[in-house]
Amino acid sequence: MSFTNELLNTVLREAGREVSRKEFLNLAGRGLAVGVAAGTLASCQDKSGAASGGTAAATVPTTGTPASKVDAATTYTAPDGQKIPSSEAVSPPAKVPADVEKPIELEAWKSDVDPQSGPTPTPLPPDRRVGYALVGLGHLTLEELLPAFGECKKSKPVALVSGSPEKLKKVAAQYGIKPESCYSYENYEKLKDNPEVQAIYIVLPNSMHAEYVIRGAQTGKHILCEKPMATSPEECQAMIDACNKAKVKLMIAYRIQYEPYNRQVRDMIRDKKYGEVQYIQAQNSQSSANPDHWRHKKALAGGGALPDIGLYCLNTSRFLLGTEPTEVFAYSYSTPGNPLFKEVEEMMSFQLRFPNGVVVDNITHYNTHDSRFYRVNTQRGWLHLNNAYAYTGQQLQTSHAEGKARMENHITIPSKNQFAAEMDHFSECILDNKKPHTPGEEGLQDHRIMAAIYQSAREGRPVKLTPVQGTDVFRGPEPKEA
């Protein structure tokens, strides 16, 4: 790096002597000049701080060189002797907080007519991140969760649990997991003796959630569990009780509540952007193909389309509105003779009645082309989120009237990896010792409502729910960032 005449002269004046830039470089050489200048400046600052009784380092030091101060009249000599116009190598001005968790503030360059950049990433150093043990090496873990750690700021994978030694060995090698941090389901409890593990992420068939949450809690590690939380409200309560008894945190992986577009819609609803919500239409459907997959075995899944993908419609509507439904009415159907649906439902259509007359109309299906959206209909407009429940590709559109004009807007906001966001929130809760935003009680409430939905579909009548007063009753504090 080179220095401007002004900077060098300032440094050397402080040292009690002043020479030209050329003389200085001839005497010391470029590399030595940098060290001498930096050392001299630091010495001056130290002396100044000591003399004044102040501290030597500022809380938010400003570094870098403004463009107006850059010497652009320099040249670079290539290995073949050719001289090429260049400029001084400088770092643009920036505020650099001493706290590793606070972002570096770079100099502004965009005008306010364009979307502004977010804060610079502030990942914790690796030794300060929360270590996770992932239990189960199926589709979600291999395709989404392990890759997502690359975008995490507060979380890292440190252990694996699987019933397949071959998978364990290969995946551990791919992600740098120590061989001694690989466990079977039989020796799962040995996680207790691994100091690198602070959290366990349960990514197993639904019927295994309760057992492995309870066993995991007994190791003293905090628990993040995939949705649906279990296969019944009774199992959910047992999981909550076990974690409370062990004094560990329990969070359910409702990734939608950490996804920026869904949070944007939630905020617009709560702020009454287009007036009060009147009703919501929601759909989450996909096509299945393997009748031997655990999702099509009732003993393993607990149900079909409803607990797997219909749950997103249910939980997201509760999240958006902040209140709890008072009544459900449902209809279920499965195509006779289809081997996919011998044990679990193919389709579930269900209405949720919320306070103040708001109705949410939901449909979920296991035998249609992928379709995942909802539309929030309000007094003065609507908000439509396509790909609402998908891992990526959310598209938010709004409509309202202004005089004779119909205004339709497409809203684009920075996206984030949903799995990284939810894991980092749980890590934040562990580091700050606070309740997760989606704790076990949130999962239990969904299971109570799903039980009523199944009852309504069986009996062909509306089913009343226990009234719940308040807003966001089952949720913990908001995440620090979406």
Side-chain angles (χ1 to χ4, degrees), residues 219-262:
T219 70
K221 311 296 184 180
H222 302 289
I223 309 293
L224 174 57
C225 180
E226 260 306 317
K227 47 59 58 190
M229 184 174 173
T231 61
S232 71
E234 293 74 23
E235 289 180 3
C236 295
Q237 190 62 61
M239 295 157 73
I240 293 170
D241 293 343
C243 290
N244 287 340
K245 182 177 180 180
K247 294 182 171 56
V248 299
K249 301 182 190 303
L250 172 61
M251 173 173 146
I252 310 305
Y254 286 117
R255 57 184 172 81
I256 295 301
Q257 297 199 33
Y258 305 95
E259 192 281 316
Y261 278 90
N262 283 276

Side-chain angles (χ1 to χ4, degrees), residues 61-201:
T62 300
T63 65
T65 307
S68 61
K69 302 295 184 181
V70 174
D71 183 355
T74 62
T75 59
Y76 164 72
T77 303
D80 62 1
Q82 182 180 6
K83 294 187 180 299
I84 301 171
S86 183
S87 65
E88 289 189 330
V90 297
S91 177
K95 291 182 179 179
V96 186
D99 186 345
V100 72
E101 295 189 51
K102 294 188 179 299
I104 293 172
E105 297 179 32
L106 301 175
E107 68 172 337
W109 68 279
K110 285 186 177 182
S111 80
D112 58 6
V113 303
D114 283 335
Q116 299 302 297
S117 300
T120 57
T122 54
L124 289 177
D127 62 347
R128 288 181 54 187
R129 299 185 196 183
V130 172
Y132 282 74
L134 289 101
V135 185
L137 298 180
H139 283 281
L140 193 66
T141 299
L142 297 183
E143 295 171 3
E144 303 296 337
L145 298 180
L146 282 167
F149 279 105
E151 299 184 51
C152 284
K153 301 174 185 177
K154 302 177 182 180
S155 316
K156 61 183 179 182
V158 297
L160 303 171
V161 181
S162 174
S164 170
E166 295 79 13
K167 269 201 241 180
L168 272 175
K169 183 177 180 180
K170 184 177 182 70
V171 176
Q174 291 173 327
Y175 288 92
I177 307 295
K178 300 173 185 176
E180 59 269 28
S181 292
C182 294
Y183 304 85
S184 68
Y185 295 130
E186 289 73 27
N187 67 6
Y188 172 57
E189 276 79 8
K190 288 188 176 181
L191 285 170
K192 179 179 181 179
D193 302 319
N194 189 334
E196 288 189 307
V197 176
Q198 294 163 273
I200 297 173
Y201 195 160

Side-chain angles (χ1 to χ4, degrees), residues 257 266 270 315-324 435-439 441-442 471-478:
Q257 297 199 33
R266 190 276 307 263
R270 304 286 184 96
N315 184 261
T316 302
S317 63
R318 294 179 48 242
F319 165 68
L320 295 175
L321 297 171
T323 55
E324 297 301 325
K435 184 177 182 179
H437 184 58
T438 52
E441 290 79 6
E442 176 80 345
T471 303
D472 296 320
V473 172
F474 301 105
R475 298 182 188 95
E478 287 288 308

